[in-house]
Amino acid sequence: MHIIDVNSQILKENSRLAEENKKLFAKYDLHVTNFMSAPGAGKTTVLEETIKRISSKYKISVIEGDLRTSIDSERIEALNIPSYQITTGTVCHLDARMIHNALHDFKLEGSDLLFIENVGNLVCPADFELGEDLKAMVFSVVEGAEKPKKYPVMFHSVEVVLLNKIDLIPYSGVSLEELISNVKEVNPSAKIFPISCRTGEGIDEWIDWFIGKINSK
Ligand code: MG
Ligand code: ZN
């Protein structure tokens, strides 16, 4: 079908650019993480909590992707972390070219880690490689235990899933056991961390794993 052909051309070109990004990241000896989620799952808050715990050891830069506004970028800059806002307009994902173009203005020399916060969307960010080392997903438990089954491509594409807002479980009626089992069903090798940015539960476990990941690169 024609539409599928066009899509595969776009994705092919995107993969080519992602490879170029990868080479550039390797030149800077940079570890790059792409954070994806639905809107409101807590990506920026997870980034803030992660940054607070590791910024004394690592030099961090952040690229923020949103349709509009620089609200998230400003939150990151408030932590004294350089942040670059990509506003995509109507495009519901980041692609490799957007990252490539950002790097013309946003200098990464001297950084150890780059965090990319993708546009909030559970669908197409999963299809667009950015040249990252690690794909991470933030999922708010109140989105419902059935979502891994409904959005398997995203859940399958990531190496780690942060099940955020577990402090809200008592109010949501969502079963954490059922959610974890559904994540495992679509991605048996995913590393899963139930966390709460509000109480701090699970954050240290995620950080320990992440630091192990950086060191094993
Ligand atoms: Mg955000
Ligand atoms: Zn999209």
Side-chain angles (χ1 to χ4, degrees):
M1 217 167 79
H2 184 63
I3 293 169
I4 290 170
D5 281 351
V6 171
N7 277 342
S8 72
Q9 269 311 109
I10 291 170
L11 289 176
K12 218 170 138 185
E13 172 64 2
N14 186 75
S15 294
R16 190 186 66 76
L17 286 165
E19 279 308 308
E20 285 189 18
N21 290 349
K22 219 180 220 335
K23 282 181 204 154
L24 196 67
F25 296 148
K27 196 174 102 186
Y28 297 150
D29 198 19
L30 194 66
H31 184 281
V32 182
T33 308
N34 176 11
F35 287 89
M36 299 179 282
S37 82
K43 291 185 296 307
T44 314
T45 309
V46 167
L47 281 184
E48 287 172 328
E49 292 308 309
T50 302
I51 287 167
K52 282 179 200 164
R53 286 166 175 80
I54 64 174
S55 61
S56 63
K57 290 202 186 92
Y58 298 93
K59 199 156 180 305
I60 304 168
S61 295
V62 175
I63 292 178
E64 286 287 340
D66 275 296
L67 300 182
R68 279 186 204 178
T69 82
S70 54
I71 293 170
D72 287 355
S73 208
E74 286 157 19
R75 285 172 61 184
I76 300 298
E77 276 166 5
L79 300 173
N80 286 318
I81 299 296
S83 174
Y84 186 90
Q85 181 77 50
I86 297 176
T87 44
T88 60
T90 55
V91 181
C92 51
H93 58 269
L94 291 176
D95 66 25
R97 186 180 297 280
M98 294 176 198
I99 300 299
H100 181 87
N101 290 344
L103 301 183
H104 290 306
D105 297 328
F106 191 50
K107 297 302 172 205
L108 295 172
E109 286 95 333
S111 288
D112 305 309
L113 307 176
L114 173 63
F115 294 151
I116 300 172
E117 182 179 335
N118 218 306
V119 179
N121 177 353
L122 273 188
V123 187
C124 39
D127 287 332
F128 287 83
E129 297 288 328
L130 305 177
E132 68 277 62
D133 299 290
L134 174 67
K135 286 186 171 75
M137 181 180 179
V138 180
F139 183 82
S140 154
V141 295
V142 294
E143 292 172 64
E146 79 289 359
K147 291 299 183 298
K149 292 182 168 186
K150 289 187 174 179
Y151 299 91
V153 178
M154 171 66 76
F155 280 89
H156 187 74
S157 75
V158 299
E159 216 173 309
V160 57
V161 181
L162 304 175
L163 299 175
N164 192 23
K165 307 190 191 182
I166 53 168
D167 51 295
L168 295 180
I169 283 179
Y171 314 100
S172 69
V174 171
S175 155
L176 184 62
E177 291 70 30
E178 187 189 347
L179 173 57
I180 289 173
S181 124
N182 286 343
V183 174
K184 285 182 174 162
E185 194 181 308
V186 295
N187 187 346
S189 63
K191 192 74 197 164
I192 301 168
F193 294 99
I195 64 167
S196 165
C197 291
R198 180 160 295 183
T199 67
E201 199 179 341
I203 305 276
D204 288 340
E205 287 81 355
W206 141 247
I207 300 278
D208 286 347
W209 179 87
F210 177 63
I211 289 174
K213 203 72 207 165
I214 301 168
N215 292 333
S216 70
K217 190 191 168 183

